[in-house]
Structures are given as structure tokens and as C-alpha cells.
Amino acid sequence: MEMFQISKFSKSDLRRVLSRTRTDRLTDRHLLRLRVLNMGCGNSRPETVHDPVKTNSQKDTNKASNKTQNRSKEKNDYQLIDQHARKAPSRLKNSAEELVAYLSSDSKDPRMLARGFFVWSSENIKYDVDGYFGRAESAPNDAESVMKNGRSVCEGYASVFELLCSKAGIPVKKLSGFAKGYGYSPSKQLTLNTRTDHAWNAVQLEGKRYLVDSTWGSGHLDSKTNDYKKEFDDFYFLTEPKQFVSAHFPYMDNNLEESQKWQLLSKPISLEEFNKNLEYSPQAFKIGMQAVSHTTAYFEMKNELQMTFKSLGKEDINFSSRLMYEDGNWLKEQRNATFGYQENDVYKILIHPQKPGMYELTIFGKFASDDRDKSIPQVLEYTFKCTEVSDKTHEYPHIYGAVSVEKCILHEPRRGNLPSKTEIQFRISAPYLQVIRVGDTLLLKQGTMFTGKVTTPEKGYQLSLYGTRGDQYSRMDGLYDFHTV
């Protein structure tokens, strides 16, 4: 069983590290014991899972993919200024004026210059991890010192961006407020008396204001070593305000009304809404992931619950889920406690904890076409309380990755632990498969539905369900595993 140690602060702190990244991978035998501190300046870092055991595909017909295409076009437009910023001579860190002049030699367009400042910061400034953890004296946060030393926290990153934009004549403002970063938990409600914990910027380009977070766009903390690792993420450059407010809430000078204007939304949200709203990771926006049934970060349930999600894009998406139980100072993975499948372009997850208590449910997702590696980045995370469980022995079947590829739906049985020496009705829909068998028994195919009755073996045996697009003599892929009790 996979276990994660947590502290007295918050179980959600466990997953929080300095910045968003996609480099950490969790395997079935991976054991993490993290030091948990209440740091909000860094971003909560979405995890990734290695093995898509509980994976499902889905397709929708909305327009989120257009935004992704536009984002890709912008990246191509930024290639020259990005390269120019990364090649800046180290001597330029001693003078903001000289750095601005250098970047202006490639382009004097304000948007390109702002991009250059964002990229230069990611290349030349590291988060002051040692200072924050008390392993060294904290680095100063004024812009000039940060540029020269190349080390700071979020205040310094925002100050540098502000200074460089000002020197270039670009309207800019340094903002501060609350962030759903390291140390944030939905169970700990933020109030106007809570100390603000993050800083970022607003910049005006061509008469329009945009939001920039240089800190979260620069790198992350390695959860194994507590050392900083550089990892550029341009999601945080000119981020859409509706996406930015998922994890950022400006609050300055004890003036809520004025601060809310810097959400850059026509209808700003309240702090109460910010607390309640589900946080979407950059990956969630990339693939167009949207929660349908449960849109708040915290909820309560009993026995079994069905959650629904959809994608706003047109591409197939692979999903995965993981349920963790809070057991004292540990988070323990609850295997086979979730069951995901796609139905009518909606992705559904069934949840059945084995005992009452506090849980964390993490949803992972990526485009099915993104086969560069097997990891699946985190897109959403929930905290929930289960108040009652009638069936404490319930398990769902183990799901293999082929289920998503073949778009299978197991209708019955949806219980993974089956009674031994008992006749069980099997029913599964699979639009692309020609043959499905349970153990040595072939199921009857009628259209896209496969049905049949199978007598389970004696107690303690595994019973597997296989399928193929070929005939019964073709190689078959594993779909679901059951075991007898």
C-alpha cells in the first residue's frame, strides 16, 4: 500500500511543493515522506502517475482545443525572444537598463519584451529554498539584489518583473494576495485576517491588462531532495483571468473592493467563492477538463458516490484516479476504491471508500495522443469526508489501460471481490472488440454488448477478463481483474 506522511498542518500540504511541474512520477512502490511547512509563496505542484491503471478516454465537441491551438501559435511567435533572453550575457544581471536594452535589440514590441523579462527570470533566478527552510540566511527581495544574486522568493520575482517593465516603459503593477500553493488546503478557509502569501504581476499591453506569475513559471522544489529544480512553464505568462483566479486571489492594503478589480474579471469572485471553488491545474486547462457534478474542492458523502466530468475539447483524453485515506499522520492509498469509465462523452468515476474518514481524491488526465511517456499529470484534487460506509469489504475490479483504448464499459459485475463457486452474470459493452472471455469462458456478442454467466473458482483465485479485435485465437489484452472471496 502506498503511504504518504503528513503533519499536523494539513494532509493537503503533502502534495504541495514549490512550483507546478510534471516531473515527479509516482509508482506503486514509491514511498514519500515529506517535510510539510506552511508556505504559500510557491505553487502547489500537481503530481503525475506513471501507470495508467484506471484510465479512460473521452471526447467532446466544445471549443477548448482552439485555445490550445492559439497557445501553440503564441509559443511559435515567442521563439526568437525566448532564445534571445536565454542567451543574455551574465553581466547584464548587474543593470536593469542594460538588460532591457539587450532584449530590446531583438524586439521593441512591448509584448515581446514582457515575454523576454519572464523568460530571463526563469533562467536567472532560483527560488530561495535554503533561506525559506532556514538552511541559510534569506536572500533580499529588492529587484536589484535579486537580479545580481539570482535568488529570491515570490516577492523578488515580482519585483524584478515590475522593474524591467518599468524601465521599458510598459505599464505594470506588483500584486499580492492568496494563492492555492504550498500549504493551502480546502479544509483551512482563508479570511481577510489571514496573512497573504504570494506575489505576482499585472501588465498592460496594447491597452489591455494581463496577469503574470514569474515564480510559478520558473521551477519547482524536488520533493525528494528539497532542492530547487528549474522548469519553465509559460502557462503563467499572460494567463487568462478566469484560469488565473482558480489559484490566485489578490488582496492588498486591506482593501477588498479595490483588490478584486485586479482579478481582471467582469464579475470578480469573493474570497468565499475562492475558498470553495475547485482548483484546476494548468494541465486541466490544457486538455479542457471540467467538473460537472462536483465543482467544489470539498464535499461530504456516504457509502458510494458517482462523479462526472467532461472535456471541452475534441481530442480523446485518458484519465486516471487515486484515492488516499487520512490515517493519523499518513495518507494511505485505497486501491480499487474508484472505478472510472466513459459513457456518452461524459467521464464518470464511482467512489466507494471502505471506511468513514477524510480522503483525498486526485484526478489525472492527458490527451490520448500525448504518448511521449506513460505518466499522466494531475488535473484536479478533492478533499472529502465520508460519514458512513455500510459495506466495508467493497472493492471495484482492477482496470487495465486497454479499457480506455477500446472504450469498454463494464456494466456488471462492478464488484472486484466476487463470491467463490458462484454463478455470476457478466455484461460489458465494447464497440471495437470482437471477442471477450472471462477466464476460459467466451461471452456472447450481440452488437457491441457481450454477456454471459460464469461460475467463479474457489476462494483466493484471480479471475480475469480479456478482449481482442481479432478472433478467439488472437492475442488478447487484459481488461479487468477480479478475485474470489
Side-chain angles (χ1 to χ4, degrees):
M1 176 174 291
E2 194 168 355
M3 296 166 55
F4 300 78
Q5 191 176 30
I6 60 176
S7 79
K8 64 181 180 180
F9 291 108
S10 164
K11 64 185 188 312
S12 290
D13 291 348
L14 175 68
R15 70 180 178 88
R16 312 280 175 186
V17 290
L18 182 59
S19 177
R20 294 188 182 271
T21 182
R22 298 159 183 80
T23 60
D24 193 23
R25 281 130 172 93
L26 302 178
T27 66
D28 288 341
R29 292 183 290 274
H30 192 183
L31 177 65
L32 292 181
R33 300 182 66 178
L34 302 185
R35 179 185 181 189
V36 179
L37 294 176
N38 187 21
M39 178 169 67
C41 190
N43 187 13
S44 63
R45 174 219 162 282
E47 301 172 82
T48 63
V49 290
H50 222 354
D51 201 4
V53 171
K54 289 184 169 62
T55 305
N56 294 79
S57 293
Q58 121 177 40
K59 185 180 288 186
D60 208 325
T61 57
N62 250 309
K63 299 181 179 180
S65 60
N66 291 335
K67 291 185 178 180
T68 302
Q69 294 171 0
N70 292 337
R71 194 81 179 174
S72 299
K73 182 178 182 300
E74 288 178 0
K75 288 183 179 181
N76 292 332
D77 293 340
Y78 293 138
Q79 282 184 351
L80 292 179
I81 191 64
D82 287 0
Q83 294 172 4
H84 192 58
R86 292 188 173 107
K87 293 178 180 179
S90 59
R91 61 178 174 78
L92 298 179
K93 66 183 181 180
N94 296 312
S95 171
E97 290 83 358
E98 291 184 18
L99 177 58
V100 171
Y102 167 81
L103 292 171
S104 298
S105 67
D106 182 80
S107 174
K108 291 182 171 55
D109 179 82
R111 180 184 293 263
M112 294 300 167
L113 284 176
R115 173 71 176 202
F117 303 151
F118 180 79
V119 173
W120 185 90
S121 295
S122 74
E123 285 289 315
N124 293 276
I125 305 173
K126 293 183 177 181
Y127 197 92
D128 185 19
V129 176
D130 290 335
Y132 191 88
F133 283 112
R135 301 190 297 228
E137 183 179 352
S138 296
N141 291 325
D142 63 283
E144 290 83 359
S145 297
V146 174
M147 288 183 62
K148 292 177 182 179
N149 299 332
R151 186 162 58 98
S152 185
V153 292
C154 56
E155 177 75 17
Y157 279 88
S159 295
V160 167
F161 189 82
E162 180 184 45
L163 174 64
L164 295 176
C165 284
S166 297
K167 296 291 184 182
I170 301 172
V172 64
K173 182 177 178 64
K174 183 167 65 176
L175 307 174
S176 61
F178 303 112
K180 294 180 179 178
Y182 192 97
Y184 171 78
S185 169
S187 62
K188 297 189 299 185
Q189 297 291 294
L190 300 168
T191 72
L192 297 182
N193 293 322
T194 305
R195 182 179 178 181
T196 58
D197 56 11
H198 194 43
W200 59 94
N201 298 98
V203 61
Q204 184 170 309
L205 302 170
E206 300 171 351
K208 183 179 178 179
R209 290 171 174 170
Y210 297 89
L211 297 165
V212 176
D213 190 334
S214 301
T215 311
W216 288 10
S218 294
H220 71 280
L221 184 72
D222 189 308
S223 60
K224 298 177 183 178
T225 64
N226 274 356
D227 292 327
Y228 178 83
K229 282 193 173 182
K230 180 171 65 176
E231 176 140 357
F232 181 69
D233 188 349
D234 71 348
F235 174 82
Y236 297 104
F237 178 69
L238 311 187
T239 313
E240 289 286 335
K242 288 183 179 179
Q243 298 178 357
F244 203 79
V245 79
S246 176
H248 297 72
F249 188 91
Y251 182 56
M252 298 160 289
D253 303 321
N254 295 318
N255 190 331
L256 179 61
E257 183 177 357
E258 180 62 27
S259 298
Q260 284 180 299
K261 296 177 182 178
W262 292 102
Q263 294 177 24
L264 307 187
L265 297 171
S266 57
K267 295 181 179 180
I269 67 171
S270 66
L271 184 57
E272 290 74 20
E273 291 173 304
F274 180 73
N275 278 317
K276 181 180 68 174
N277 288 349
L278 182 64
E279 178 189 357
Y280 287 76
S281 75
Q283 177 71 5
F285 291 117
K286 175 184 175 181
I287 66 176
M289 179 71 166
Q290 185 176 77
V292 177
S293 62
H294 293 73
T295 59
T296 59
Y298 175 83
F299 59 86
E300 294 187 1
M301 64 160 291
K302 61 181 181 180
N303 294 318
E304 186 177 50
L305 175 72
Q306 177 178 278
M307 305 178 72
T308 57
F309 307 87
K310 67 179 181 180
S311 168
L312 301 179
K314 296 181 179 180
E315 292 191 49
D316 282 346
I317 293 176
N318 289 344
F319 288 93
S320 174
S321 60
R322 184 187 66 198
L323 187 65
M324 308 287 283
Y325 170 71
E326 179 183 348
D327 185 8
N329 286 334
W330 292 89
L331 286 176
K332 298 180 179 179
E333 182 174 0
Q334 302 293 289
R335 297 189 183 280
N336 301 325
T338 65
F339 185 83
Y341 60 99
Q342 175 196 345
E343 189 171 42
N344 298 326
D345 292 330
V346 175
Y347 178 71
K348 300 181 179 181
I349 297 179
L350 295 174
I351 306 168
H352 196 305
Q354 291 187 348
K355 53 187 171 182
M358 295 297 297
Y359 289 85
E360 283 189 0
L361 175 68
T362 307
I363 312 298
F364 304 86
K366 70 172 185 177
F367 288 125
S369 60
D370 186 6
D371 57 358
R372 290 170 295 179
D373 58 48
K374 293 183 178 180
S375 62
I376 306 181
Q378 177 182 320
V379 291
L380 300 170
E381 184 175 81
Y382 293 88
T383 298
F384 70 87
K385 181 179 181 180
C386 180
T387 60
E388 178 184 334
V389 177
S390 299
D391 184 358
K392 294 182 172 60
T393 64
H394 185 279
E395 294 179 19
Y396 291 113
H398 177 89
I399 306 175
Y400 286 95
V403 167
S404 80
V405 176
E406 305 298 347
K407 293 182 170 54
C408 300
I409 301 177
L410 179 66
H411 299 279
E412 58 178 331
R414 284 185 175 171
R415 189 180 183 98
N417 47 347
L418 301 176
S420 60
K421 298 182 178 180
T422 303
E423 189 175 68
I424 302 293
Q425 174 73 26
F426 281 81
R427 189 163 60 93
I428 176 174
S429 57
Y432 304 130
L433 299 183
Q434 296 302 314
V435 178
I436 291 181
R437 66 178 173 87
V438 181
D440 295 327
T441 303
L442 293 176
L443 298 184
L444 176 65
K445 183 180 189 320
Q446 294 180 311
T448 61
M449 186 69 70
F450 294 79
T451 59
K453 292 183 178 181
V454 177
T455 300
T456 59
E458 61 185 74
K459 181 180 178 180
Y461 278 78
Q462 178 174 296
L463 186 64
S464 298
L465 195 155
Y466 302 90
T468 179
R469 296 191 183 194
D471 59 29
Q472 60 181 304
Y473 304 106
S474 302
R475 176 185 176 277
M476 294 193 178
D477 293 317
L479 301 174
Y480 302 94
D481 281 340
F482 306 83
H483 65 95
T484 54
V485 293

